[in-house]
């Protein structure tokens, strides 16, 4: 008798509609499958093919695409550029984000207003931001020149973008940093706020000063937030496109890998090489993300 | 002692001032430039308030006669609104049901599907850009709203699900159990309890997704080549690149293109903060 | 109105059996309390009856109907949750009306029932408020109201008072008892608090590690616990236990522990015939703190029931004094005994911390002169001794 009942009971969700979850999930699975996973597979596979809509058919090419990329000086230069974008982007947005988060952590009358304004740059389209900053950087009428000259920091007006490679890249990336910093700040702030106040009080009773509290409590405990913020800004700076496209066009002095990919694929219609470069960039994204997580992330449980 | 804390407070105020300047100055500068004449904008050294003041640039944009810049601008503005608006509706609807299933129902394959969906969060634009263009062009959805909306939705879904999933997971299970005991089916419990209770989470998701849609550039750049579907970002970039529109007018366009997301960010700020924080650390 | 039967009900999560072969009958109109330390399976047992948890084997019967495969909504039960689970987006009125609306009751009847429940629970002023605007006690009453308006066959209460402070808890306890009596509804009430269990239950079912230990009216549970676990769990402070050896002398059975040797009341021995079999053998001897007294305050020359002890701690309760005393006797070193006393101590409301070895707690009259560090002569009521088998922990009666 009890054997009979084990049959009806047990594991199998007898109630709650057995098909309900699958019905609820089907649109999602359709979208993600057809428009995210499938394209990713296509990219991965066709990176090893010659894909040229002007010159069909698609045929297997082995590592030819990758070899062509490695020997393409523009691609190599864009890789160096992108590395610089990443260093500037991850470094500055994490630093600024941490500072802003620390300031916002303290409750005060102005916190709401400050928070609202801090989030603003994140909400605006990167293209529009680039246009706005482009005018600020303008060589003849830009406010940057104006301020630096009137404070005596420069003797005469500079052309900021398009001449010096490092300066161009730093300034272009600064626009992206402006956009990404709010996100970094919020992620770090969330981590800060998850630290129980009592820990600080305990540390104070134990005789820790502000600096010790920051170094021995805040910094270690905020690492999960830092890690996520750094991965976010890594992905964005590795993908940097809008700001470069607007401020520097396709000039090799500032072109990013994303820009190269766009050019190879949609201007030169060499989709095979586009796939190959995409695949390399995707791998780079994942590897660097894992690297950051391995170095920075430490699980914290309260 | 008092001297030190006064110093500290002063330092803090200075830091806050710096943060505010950093966050708001570029936007202010665009506003400033957009409200003056070309001569005013080109003065050396720069004027920090619009002088002379004029609303001429906005007037030009409002004047929609002929195929002028104003006409192009409003069309692209409308395109962006339609594309991000509909993508938001679609994304949030799909994400709601899926996130509920992930957060509350038990079924075979749950972990695998969830991990697969969230893994796409880590996929960079690279991974899908070219194939998506080729798929859309093969089904003749290039230069259509539908094509852009489908691509946006597929891109936004993972994040939307992550935020909603975390929100649902934070709703006490007993709330639904109370509904079950009160006589609800799972669908009724979702509809009458879970969704109403999750209002702030749904708002946060919708706002974040809409802003992401409004900011899109590279996908519409690839997927729409004419004004029929080009969103405002593509239009602005094109105008900037052509260097034929005066800077004052360009800044006015920038201000208007930033106005909608900007106002949303300022007014509905707390939902954005909530949403970002909900999906942040796990 | 309903009678409920658990018939050989078990619940396993993976390989972990949470409820093991539960057999329990709750009569129509009875208030049954399910009590035990956390993790004993009591909440799972309740949730299986509600339909929120599936039954792994066995069956649950409500009014001769097997409900194993019924959805919660089809069982006609109402439940009050530990954290109340009020719908935060609905007003008090809507919270109470929610279930009735789902059952498509006519609007007028819903209104009548909600207002009636609000009157009984003194919620009339609060009907338009949202749960967030209510105090803990008010939320608790709304949760009760939501159950009452349904007029269900069975009321399920999952630790409904554990989030209230002590004073409010006592008030609500009385109100729940009154409501249950007035409505005459069958109620299953889960708690970890033995005071709540004893004061509320018509009968109390004690569970431990998924196994039902004893079902009995409160007084019987207190006086005739079936084993060491029940004996230790019920009653506060926890029953004192020592390892003793029984031996028969000319004046009857006696128990020797350490340097002490006390006489067992002949009447008690006669009512526990099985004790004879333990003559010359070890037993676990139990004495409730309430069954001890300062010998100086006892009007008897019964020196056979007195032991010498050293006072280690004195706790004045007002009408009584609890003293912790060291006695010269080994505590039972048996695993089962230690586990039973520990689980009772950590979950008992009185907050008795794990009791160190050789320590006895005695509840003495306020006139006692026992002081820390001094000697005291304790009288152990010879008619209120408990005996347990040292190996199985089972109480020794017939």
């Amino acid at each position: 008798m009890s054997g009979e009942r084990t049959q009806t009971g047990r594991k199998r969700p007898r109630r709650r509609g057995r098909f309900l979850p699958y019905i609820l999930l089907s649109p999602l699975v359709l979208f993600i499958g057809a428009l995210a996973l499938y394209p990713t597979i296509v990219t991965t596979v066709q990176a090893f093919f010659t894909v040229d809509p002007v010159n069909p058919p698609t045929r297997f090419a082995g590592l030819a695409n990758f070899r062509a990329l490695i020997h393409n000086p523009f691609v190599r230069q864009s890789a160096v550029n992108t590395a610089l974008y990443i260093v500037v982007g991850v470094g500055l947005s994490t630093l600024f984000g941490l500072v802003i988060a620390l300031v916002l952590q303290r409750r005060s009358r102005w916190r709401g207003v400050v928070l609202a304004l801090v989030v603003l740059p994140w909400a605006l389209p990167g293209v529009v931001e680039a246009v706005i900053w482009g005018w600020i950087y303008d060589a003849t009428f830009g406010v940057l020149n104006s301020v630096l000259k009137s404070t005596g920091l420069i003797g005469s007006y500079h052309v900021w973008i398009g001449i010096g490679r490092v300066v161009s890249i730093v300034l272009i990336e600064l626009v992206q940093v402006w956009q990404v910093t709010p996100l970094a700040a919020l992620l770090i702030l969330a981590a800060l706020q998850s630290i129980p106040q009592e820990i600080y009080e305990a540390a104070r009773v134990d005789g820790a000063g502000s600096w010790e509290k920051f170094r021995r409590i805040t910094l270690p405990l905020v690492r999960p937030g830092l890690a996520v913020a750094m991965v976010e800004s890594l992905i964005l700076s590795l993908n940097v496109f809008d700001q470069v496209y607007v401020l520097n066009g396709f000039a090799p002095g500032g072109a990013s890998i994303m820009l190269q990919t766009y050019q190879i694929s949609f201007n030169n219609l060499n989709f095979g090489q586009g796939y190959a470069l995409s695949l390399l960039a995707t791998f780079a994204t994942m590897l660097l993300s894992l690297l950051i997580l391995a170095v920075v992330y430490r699980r914290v449980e309260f | 002692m008092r001297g030190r804390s006064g110093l500290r407070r002063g330092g803090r105020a200075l830091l806050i001032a710096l943060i505010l300047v950093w966050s708001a100055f570029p936007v202010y500068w665009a506003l400033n430039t957009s409200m003056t004449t070309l001569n005013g904008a080109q003065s050396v050294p720069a004027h920090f308030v619009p002088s002379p003041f004029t609303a001429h640039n906005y007037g030009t944009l409002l004047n929609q006669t002929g195929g002028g810049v104003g006409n192009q601008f409003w069309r692209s503005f409308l395109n962006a609104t339609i594309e991000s608006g509909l993508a938001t509706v679609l994304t949030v609807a799909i994400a709601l049901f899926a996130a509920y299933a992930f957060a509350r129902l038990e079924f075979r394959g749950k972990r695998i599907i969830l991990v697969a969906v969230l893994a796409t969060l880590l996929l960079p634009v690279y991974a899908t850009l070219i194939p998506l263009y080729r798929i859309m062009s093969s089904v003749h959805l290039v230069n259509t709203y539908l094509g852009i909306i489908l691509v946006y939705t597929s891109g936004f879904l993972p994040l939307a699900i992550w935020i909603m999933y975390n929100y649902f997971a934070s709703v006490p299970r007993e709330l639904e159990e109370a509904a079950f005991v009160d006589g609800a089916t799972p669908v009724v419990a979702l509809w009458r309890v879970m969704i109403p209770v999750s209002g702030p989470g749904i708002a946060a998701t919708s706002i974040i997704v809409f802003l992401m849609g409004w900011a899109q550039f590279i996908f519409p750049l690839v997927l729409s080549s004419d004004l029929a579907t080009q969103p405002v970002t593509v239009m602005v970039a094109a105008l900037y690149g052509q260097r034929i529109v005066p800077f004052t007018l360009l800044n006015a366009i920038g201000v208007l293109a930033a106005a909608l997301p900007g106002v949303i960010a300022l007014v509905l700020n707390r939902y954005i903060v909530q949403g970002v924080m909900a999906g942040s650390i796990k | 109105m309903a009678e409920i039967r658990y018939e050989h009900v078990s619940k396993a999560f993976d390989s972990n059996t949470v409820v093991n072969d539960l057999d329990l009958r709750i009569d129509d109109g009875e208030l049954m309390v399910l009590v035990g330390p956390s993790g004993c399976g009591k909440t799972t047992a309740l949730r299986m009856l509600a339909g929120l948890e599936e039954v792994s084997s066995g069956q649950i019967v409500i009014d001769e109907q097997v409900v194993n495969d019924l959805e919660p909504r089809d069982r006609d039960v109402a439940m009050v949750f530990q954290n109340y689970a009020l719908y935060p987006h609905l007003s008090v009125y809507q919270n109470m009306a929610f279930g009735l609306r789902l059952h498509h009751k006519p609007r007028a009847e819903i209104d009548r029932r909600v207002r009636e429940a609000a009157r009984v629970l003194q919620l009339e002023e609060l009907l338009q408020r949202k749960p967030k605007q209510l105090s803990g006690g008010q939320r608790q009453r709304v949760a009760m109201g939501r159950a009452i308006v349904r007029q269900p066959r069975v009321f399920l209460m999952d630790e409904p008072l554990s989030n209230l402070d002590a004073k409010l808890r006592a008030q609500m306890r009385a109100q729940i008892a009154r409501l249950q009596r007035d409505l005459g509804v069958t109620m299953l009430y889960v708690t970890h608090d033995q005071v709540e269990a004893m004061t509320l239950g018509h009968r109390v079912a004690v569970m431990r590690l998924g196994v039902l230990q004893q079902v009995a009216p409160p007084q019987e549970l207190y006086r005739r616990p079936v084993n060491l676990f029940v004996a230790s769990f019920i009653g506060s402070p926890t029953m004192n236990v020592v390892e003793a050896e029984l031996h028969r002398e000319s004046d009857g059975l006696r128990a020797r522990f350490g340097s002490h040797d006390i006489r067992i009341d002949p009447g008690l021995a006669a009512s526990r015939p099985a004790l004879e079999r333990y003559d010359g053998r070890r037993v676990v001897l139990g004495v409730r703190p309430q069954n001890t007294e300062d010998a100086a305050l006892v009007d008897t020359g019964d020196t056979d029931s007195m032991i010498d002890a050293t006072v280690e701690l004195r706790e004045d309760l007002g009408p009584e004094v609890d003293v912790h005393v060291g006695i010269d006797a080994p505590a039972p070193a048996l695993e089962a005994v230690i586990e039973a006393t520990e689980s009772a101590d950590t979950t008992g409301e009185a907050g008795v911390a794990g009791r160190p070895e050789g320590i006895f707690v005695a509840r003495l009259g306020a006139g006692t002169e026992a002081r820390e560090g001094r000697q005291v002569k304790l009288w152990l009521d010879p008619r209120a001794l408990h005996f347990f088998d040292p190996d199985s922990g089972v109480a020794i009666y017939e």
Side-chain angles (χ1 to χ4, degrees):
Chain A
M1 197 165 140
S2 72
E4 185 184 283
R5 258 188 309 272
T6 17
Q7 249 178 7
T8 52
R10 280 291 147 181
K11 280 281 140 190
R12 194 158 46 91
R14 84 186 126 90
R15 299 182 257 116
R16 303 283 128 80
R18 208 173 315 154
F19 298 107
L20 183 67
Y22 301 106
I23 297 169
L24 294 178
L25 284 182
S26 51
L28 171 76
V29 170
L30 213 64
F31 263 93
I32 297 294
L35 298 179
L37 296 179
Y38 170 69
T40 306
I41 294 168
V42 169
T43 300
T44 311
V45 171
Q46 302 217 344
F48 301 93
F49 285 77
T50 299
V51 187
D52 184 347
V54 186
N55 184 13
T58 296
R59 53 205 178 274
F60 185 69
L63 295 174
N65 290 326
F66 296 93
R67 264 197 298 276
L69 290 174
I70 290 168
H71 292 116
N72 182 338
F74 294 111
V75 171
R76 278 152 68 171
Q77 186 160 11
S78 75
V80 176
N81 291 344
T82 304
L84 198 52
Y85 281 120
I86 292 172
V87 171
V88 175
V90 174
L92 287 186
S93 64
T94 310
L95 179 67
F96 292 175
L98 181 61
V99 170
I100 293 176
L102 286 171
V103 169
L104 284 176
Q105 187 194 15
R106 183 92 63 89
R107 305 210 164 265
S108 79
R109 231 174 333 151
W110 300 103
R111 191 167 180 258
V113 181
V114 177
L115 194 60
L117 278 172
V118 161
V119 172
L120 180 66
W122 175 79
L124 308 182
V127 168
V128 174
E129 296 181 349
V131 168
I132 292 174
W133 281 80
W135 174 237
I136 291 175
Y137 291 154
D138 192 84
T140 29
F141 308 112
V143 68
L144 179 64
N145 273 322
S146 177
V147 168
L148 290 181
K149 180 138 191 284
S150 59
T151 52
L153 285 171
I154 53 171
S156 60
Y157 277 26
H158 274 259
V159 178
W160 294 108
I161 308 279
I163 305 293
R165 177 164 155 191
V166 175
V167 173
S168 301
I169 287 177
V170 169
L171 289 180
I172 292 171
E173 183 55 28
L174 195 64
V175 181
Q176 195 180 38
V177 167
W178 190 62
Q179 185 182 36
V180 177
T181 296
L183 181 63
L186 286 185
L187 293 170
I188 296 170
L189 184 61
L192 280 177
Q193 290 184 338
S194 72
I195 303 176
Q197 205 53 41
E198 296 79 37
I199 296 187
Y200 286 104
E201 286 163 5
R204 244 174 79 184
V205 173
D206 286 344
S210 313
W211 171 246
E212 278 107 333
K213 277 193 284 181
F214 176 74
R215 221 181 72 81
R216 307 218 173 265
I217 299 176
T218 309
L219 220 45
L221 294 184
V222 87
R223 284 172 81 148
L226 276 181
V228 178
M230 290 174 79
V231 169
E232 289 280 352
S233 66
L234 166 79
I235 293 177
L236 288 166
S237 53
L238 224 161
N239 278 288
V240 66
F241 181 83
D242 306 7
Q243 292 83 354
V244 187
Y245 182 95
V246 169
L247 290 171
N248 199 48
F250 290 96
S256 63
I257 291 186
M258 190 74 235
L259 215 72
Q260 274 303 326
T261 308
Y262 178 87
Q263 189 159 31
I264 290 173
S265 316
F266 298 105
N267 291 352
N268 306 347
L269 293 183
N270 195 334
F271 287 123
Q273 281 187 27
Y275 284 132
L277 191 50
S278 295
L279 190 62
L280 291 176
T282 305
F283 269 116
T285 309
M286 306 226 160
L287 279 179
L288 289 174
S289 301
L290 288 178
L291 185 71
I292 289 180
L293 289 176
V295 173
V296 182
Y297 188 84
R298 292 288 180 277
R299 193 170 181 82
V300 175
E301 298 201 47
F302 295 106
Chain B
M1 208 54 194
R2 186 176 299 163
R4 253 189 80 182
S5 81
L7 201 70
R8 189 173 292 176
R9 196 181 300 169
R12 220 180 102 81
L14 189 70
L15 203 54
I16 291 180
L18 270 175
I19 291 172
L20 289 182
V21 168
W22 158 257
S23 302
F25 177 77
V27 175
Y28 171 76
W29 195 249
L31 265 170
N32 178 35
T33 307
S34 72
M35 293 193 288
T36 187
T37 61
L38 198 54
N39 274 333
Q42 294 181 342
S43 66
V44 177
H47 294 307
F48 281 83
V49 288
S51 96
F53 175 84
T54 174
H56 173 77
N57 297 307
Y58 293 98
T60 309
L61 289 175
L62 284 174
N63 176 13
Q64 294 189 50
T65 50
V69 176
N71 222 354
Q72 291 178 43
F73 174 76
W74 291 112
R75 176 65 205 213
S76 69
F77 195 96
L78 180 72
N79 290 341
T81 311
I82 290 173
E83 285 153 9
S84 4
L86 291 181
T88 303
V89 172
L90 194 58
T91 303
V92 172
I94 296 174
L96 261 182
F97 293 117
Y100 177 75
F102 285 132
R104 283 297 199 261
L105 304 177
E106 291 303 326
F107 52 93
R108 205 177 283 269
K110 172 164 145 173
R111 279 201 74 81
I112 295 170
I113 302 178
L114 183 61
V115 167
V117 169
L118 294 180
T120 63
L121 260 177
L122 296 177
L123 284 181
V125 174
Y126 297 103
T128 55
L129 178 67
I130 308 170
L132 279 179
Y133 165 73
R134 304 197 74 209
I135 292 170
M136 288 301 152
S137 92
S138 70
V139 293
H140 305 291
L141 285 178
V142 170
N143 285 327
T144 63
Y145 285 144
L146 183 61
I148 287 185
I149 290 167
L150 291 179
V151 168
Y152 282 9
T153 302
S154 70
F156 302 157
L157 267 173
L159 181 65
I161 281 173
W162 183 232
I163 299 175
M164 282 313 304
Y165 172 77
N166 281 305
Y167 202 92
F168 281 156
S170 75
V171 175
R173 222 170 248 276
E174 288 84 359
L175 227 48
E176 275 165 289
E177 292 179 343
F180 290 145
V181 174
D182 265 347
T185 61
V187 175
V188 170
L190 171 63
W191 191 249
R192 304 269 303 255
V193 176
M194 271 310 244
I195 290 182
V197 164
S198 307
I202 296 169
T205 312
S206 310
I207 291 165
I208 289 172
V209 167
F210 182 82
L211 291 176
M212 281 167 54
W214 188 268
Q216 286 303 307
F217 178 58
I218 190 165
F219 277 107
L221 184 67
V222 169
L223 290 174
S224 59
S225 54
D226 62 39
L227 193 58
T229 55
Q230 268 176 2
V232 68
T233 46
V234 175
M235 217 276 306
V236 168
L239 285 179
Y240 187 92
Q242 291 159 5
R243 315 236 164 219
I244 46 167
V245 180
F247 254 104
T248 47
L249 184 56
L250 206 56
N251 272 287
I253 290 174
V255 167
L256 288 179
L260 185 61
V263 168
I264 289 176
L266 291 178
V267 175
L268 302 175
N269 178 266
R270 80 195 157 93
Y271 292 108
I272 298 176
V273 174
Q274 250 177 33
V276 171
M277 288 191 170
S280 64
I281 300 157
K282 282 281 123 58
Chain C
M1 301 303 103
E3 178 204 89
I4 295 158
R5 285 202 312 274
Y6 286 87
E7 296 179 346
H8 300 288
V9 172
S10 293
K11 173 70 184 178
F13 293 107
D14 300 321
S15 60
N16 191 5
T17 305
V18 194
V19 173
N20 198 347
D21 199 25
L22 175 63
D23 248 330
L24 180 65
R25 195 185 122 129
I26 306 165
D27 294 327
D28 184 17
E30 183 176 29
L31 198 171
M32 171 71 77
V33 176
L34 212 49
V35 70
S38 57
C40 73
K42 57 189 190 297
T43 296
T44 307
L46 178 98
R47 289 169 58 84
M48 283 192 285
L49 177 53
L52 297 172
E53 217 70 77
E54 284 180 44
V55 175
S56 301
S57 68
Q59 54 187 13
I60 296 180
V61 181
I62 304 179
D63 273 344
E64 303 308 322
Q65 179 195 16
V66 178
V67 296
N68 283 32
D69 289 325
L70 286 186
E71 293 283 354
R73 60 174 181 275
D74 298 322
R75 295 192 182 195
D76 194 17
V77 301
M79 181 160 167
V80 174
F81 291 80
Q82 181 169 13
N83 58 12
Y84 317 138
L86 301 180
Y87 309 119
H89 59 299
L90 301 180
S91 68
V92 168
Y93 185 99
Q94 290 167 323
N95 258 283
M96 293 204 274
F98 188 83
L100 297 176
R101 292 222 171 111
L102 290 184
H103 285 99
H104 305 292
K105 293 275 185 278
R107 196 165 281 272
E109 189 188 343
I110 294 177
D111 192 64
R112 188 178 55 72
R113 284 208 214 168
V114 170
R115 290 192 188 281
E116 170 62 15
R119 193 184 56 75
V120 173
L121 293 164
Q122 292 146 37
L123 290 168
E124 286 160 305
E125 311 292 309
L126 308 172
L127 283 175
Q128 295 317 314
R129 298 252 188 108
K130 289 279 173 66
K132 214 188 288 181
Q133 300 163 293
L134 302 177
S135 71
Q138 289 167 339
R139 287 179 201 190
Q140 210 285 329
R141 298 209 306 269
V142 176
M144 295 278 302
R146 195 168 62 180
I148 290 174
V149 295
R150 293 263 318 280
Q151 301 178 356
R153 293 192 290 184
V154 184
F155 254 74
L156 305 177
M157 314 286 259
D158 185 11
E159 309 229 11
L161 303 182
S162 61
N163 287 340
L164 301 179
D165 62 48
K167 198 175 157 206
L168 212 50
R169 200 180 311 164
Q171 278 174 20
M172 283 311 298
R173 208 162 62 203
Q175 184 160 22
I176 289 174
R178 208 174 319 120
L179 267 172
Q180 192 274 340
R181 192 191 58 213
D182 293 349
L183 300 173
V185 69
T186 311
M187 184 183 283
L188 181 59
Y189 187 110
V190 162
T191 180
H192 67 272
D193 178 350
Q194 50 108 357
V195 176
E196 222 167 275
M198 298 291 276
T199 50
L200 268 178
H202 299 166
R203 284 192 298 157
V204 176
V206 184
M207 285 184 77
R208 174 195 173 218
L209 300 175
V211 179
L212 181 62
Q213 307 288 308
Q214 185 172 9
V215 190
Q219 276 305 327
E220 187 184 332
L221 218 51
Y222 186 78
R223 287 167 199 273
R224 281 178 75 92
V226 296
N227 59 30
L228 254 175
F229 177 79
V230 176
S232 310
F233 189 79
I234 301 292
S236 172
T238 303
M239 179 186 282
N240 300 297
V241 288
V242 289
E243 208 177 300
E245 196 182 289
L246 295 190
H247 58 105
R248 174 164 291 285
E249 300 298 328
S250 55
D251 55 351
L253 268 180
R254 298 178 70 93
R256 183 188 301 129
F257 53 101
S259 58
H260 314 292
D261 192 2
I262 59 171
R263 197 167 69 96
I264 299 163
D265 181 75
L268 181 72
S271 70
R272 308 240 190 300
L275 275 178
E276 291 296 339
R277 289 202 303 276
Y278 286 83
D279 183 10
R281 288 168 59 194
R282 289 178 308 124
V283 294
V284 173
L285 169 69
V287 188
R288 295 199 182 277
Q290 290 82 354
N291 299 127
T292 62
E293 188 50 280
D294 185 339
L297 301 176
V298 185
D299 190 16
T300 169
D302 178 20
T303 51
D304 267 347
S305 299
M306 293 181 190
I307 62 172
D308 290 311
T310 314
V311 179
E312 303 215 334
L313 178 70
R314 175 186 161 113
E315 297 174 321
D316 269 293
L317 303 176
E320 290 137 347
V321 176
D322 278 359
V323 292
H324 295 225
V325 299
I327 60 163
D328 171 30
L334 297 146
E335 199 59 39
V337 177
I338 292 166
E339 192 192 344
T341 32
E342 272 178 359
S343 63
D345 278 350
T346 50
T347 56
E349 200 202 17
V352 189
R355 199 170 286 175
E357 238 181 81
I359 290 291
F360 234 67
V361 176
R363 178 158 287 182
L364 310 179
T368 180
E369 302 203 336
R371 291 282 177 280
E372 272 125 352
R374 294 232 206 116
Q375 288 285 316
V376 66
K377 200 175 268 294
L378 287 183
W379 175 75
L380 312 180
D381 186 345
R383 289 155 302 175
L385 302 173
H386 298 263
F387 302 93
F388 307 91
D389 183 280
D391 298 315
S392 65
V394 173
I396 303 166
Y397 297 114
E398 276 91 42

